[in-house]
Amino acid sequence: MNKLAKLFEGFNNNISLSESYKQKIRTGRNSIRSRIGNYFEQKDQQIPKHHTQGSYAMHTSIMPLEDEDFDLDNGVYLQGYDDNRECWPEVSNVHCLVKEAVQGHTKEIIDKDTCVRVVYQDNYHLDLPIYIMGKDDDGQEVAYLAHKKEGWIISDPVAFRNWFNDATKQSPTGSLRRSVKYLKQWIHHNKIDIPGMAVSILVAENFSDEGDDALTLLRVVTDIIDELEENYSCYKPVRPKTENLFSKHSYYDQSQNLNQLELLKNKLAEAIYDSKNQYEASIVLREVFGEKRFPIGEKDILNEEYLKTSEPEKVGKKNRHYA
């Protein structure tokens, strides 16, 4: 078996947000929050609360390359409304209010169906989804998102963040989060149609810590394939729990994604077991994760088990199906 721990450590460092980059986007986020608060105060409206959400809040964001964009989600939670949704403002009105609050902060403000987007010149944007906390038909408290086409709909990213953070407790070393980041980089590099939220759910639900990031990722990918071959779906673990994140995938999409996952599994197995040294293993992994991201290994760090194997056995290994 190849010794790949140092390579995966370097890989994780390469795809993780740098402290300077995190400071930059936090500065932009805090500036926007202040601007919204001041505007609402001028309009005699209660100042909204804010929650950072999405991959940044779950510590699974991927550092963008120089020419790539990065998005940060900042939930704007409106205050001063009771549980009676019939008394809530029109979705279009709250979108206009938030858009007016940030108008002029940058050259481009986009009013999307699910959020107001503030676009910065240096390749990142801040999404501002708008929420009101209310109660569902069963009297349970939940967040409602202002969706321009669908109205006020249940969507609770804070609940999802809490669910995911609870799931990471099964991985004290942080390998669950790292597995999510590795798969997100694989998806990004290969342009695979699997949403980031689905990756987080599938990893959390199929996680098994093998004590080594390469082995852990191989085990997780194998179990994800087994699950999706049995039932190609990915339901949110928080309300609305009936939302299938793969509902728009055609049969062709399903086949493509499963084929890509199978290819990733085989490449991981080849790098771990069937490459004669760390260098050759890294060449295999750079194919699936990207040359700019995955480090180059060393030729003198050998796979001792591979070298002891006879040539016929090596051929057999190359053709085996990894369980």
Side-chain angles (χ1 to χ4, degrees):
M1 188 175 82
N2 269 304
K3 300 173 183 177
L4 304 177
K6 284 292 183 182
L7 292 184
F8 272 87
E9 182 180 341
F11 180 35
N12 180 57
N13 290 337
N14 289 343
I15 61 176
S16 297
L17 296 180
S18 67
E19 286 304 318
S20 60
Y21 196 84
K22 285 192 283 189
Q23 182 58 49
K24 179 179 77 169
I25 60 178
R26 281 197 299 261
T27 298
R29 178 201 63 187
N30 293 343
S31 177
I32 283 290
R33 288 179 174 182
S34 296
R35 192 179 182 103
I36 292 172
N38 291 337
Y39 187 81
F40 270 67
E41 194 170 35
Q42 291 170 14
K43 294 290 185 180
D44 293 323
Q45 300 267 356
Q46 284 195 34
I47 295 174
K49 293 182 180 180
H50 299 269
H51 288 288
T52 303
Q53 52 201 48
S55 60
Y56 185 88
M58 298 189 299
H59 308 290
T60 58
S61 293
I62 300 299
M63 182 74 182
L65 294 173
E66 199 168 301
D67 59 343
E68 294 177 342
D69 200 12
F70 179 83
D71 67 281
L72 177 68
D73 291 339
N74 178 82
V76 180
Y77 287 74
L78 305 182
Q79 304 297 303
Y81 297 96
D82 59 27
D83 295 334
N84 185 359
R85 298 197 297 277
E86 294 182 1
C87 299
W88 290 1
E90 292 291 329
V91 162
S92 58
N93 291 341
V94 298
H95 269 251
C96 285
L97 188 63
V98 171
K99 184 179 179 182
E100 290 169 2
V102 299
Q103 198 71 50
H105 186 73
T106 65
K107 289 185 178 180
E108 188 175 12
I109 308 294
I110 305 171
D111 191 5
K112 298 170 66 67
D113 287 339
T114 57
C115 68
V116 174
R117 174 170 291 179
V118 181
V119 182
Y120 291 83
Q121 288 184 330
D122 47 352
N123 291 337
Y124 82 98
H125 58 262
L126 184 65
D127 283 345
L128 302 168
I130 306 159
Y131 301 90
I132 292 177
M133 295 302 299
K135 291 187 177 179
D136 62 17
D137 294 338
D138 296 323
Q140 301 294 314
E141 187 176 62
V142 68
Y144 283 81
L145 170 69
H147 192 295
K148 285 172 63 179
K149 288 183 178 177
E150 300 179 24
W152 290 103
I153 60 172
I154 291 178
S155 178
D156 205 337
V158 173
F160 180 71
R161 181 194 65 191
N162 293 340
W163 174 87
F164 181 78
N165 287 342
D166 283 342
T168 64
K169 293 176 182 176
Q170 61 184 304
S171 170
T173 64
S175 59
L176 191 152
R177 278 195 174 95
R178 293 195 298 274
S179 294
V180 171
K181 289 161 66 178
Y182 299 151
L183 285 180
K184 283 186 175 182
Q185 172 56 28
W186 167 72
I187 284 169
H188 178 71
H189 177 67
N190 296 281
K191 297 180 173 57
I192 294 167
D193 183 20
I194 299 178
M197 178 179 282
V199 172
S200 300
I201 294 169
L202 290 170
V203 171
E205 292 181 341
N206 292 278
F207 184 75
S208 175
D209 194 336
E210 303 295 318
D212 174 278
D213 277 13
L215 292 173
T216 295
L217 187 60
L218 176 58
R219 180 79 265 162
V220 168
V221 169
T222 300
D223 290 347
I224 287 173
I225 292 170
D226 290 344
E227 177 181 323
L228 295 181
E229 285 181 337
E230 181 73 23
N231 180 16
Y232 188 90
S233 63
C234 182
Y235 288 92
K236 281 186 177 180
V238 299
R239 289 173 291 175
K241 292 185 176 182
T242 55
E243 183 178 354
N244 178 10
L245 299 176
F246 292 159
S247 62
K248 295 182 179 179
H249 285 186
S250 65
Y251 179 77
Y252 175 80
D253 296 330
Q254 295 180 31
S255 299
Q256 285 292 102
N257 288 340
L258 284 168
N259 288 340
Q260 288 291 335
L261 282 163
E262 190 73 33
L263 177 61
L264 173 61
K265 181 182 79 169
N266 290 336
K267 289 292 186 181
L268 286 166
E270 181 182 348
I272 295 167
Y273 298 112
D274 296 337
S275 298
K276 69 180 180 181
N277 56 39
Q278 191 189 74
Y279 171 79
E280 289 196 359
S282 70
I283 296 301
V284 172
L285 294 174
R286 284 159 70 91
E287 291 179 29
V288 292
F289 295 122
E291 293 183 358
K292 294 181 179 179
R293 300 296 203 174
F294 202 88
I296 283 282
E298 297 182 25
K299 293 182 179 179
D300 59 352
I301 300 181
L302 305 176
N303 181 350
E304 302 291 350
E305 293 179 16
Y306 176 89
L307 295 176
K308 293 175 183 176
T309 305
S310 68
E311 288 304 319
E313 287 176 317
K314 288 174 183 175
V315 172
K317 282 186 177 182
K318 295 256 182 210
N319 294 319
R320 69 188 176 192
H321 176 81
Y322 295 93

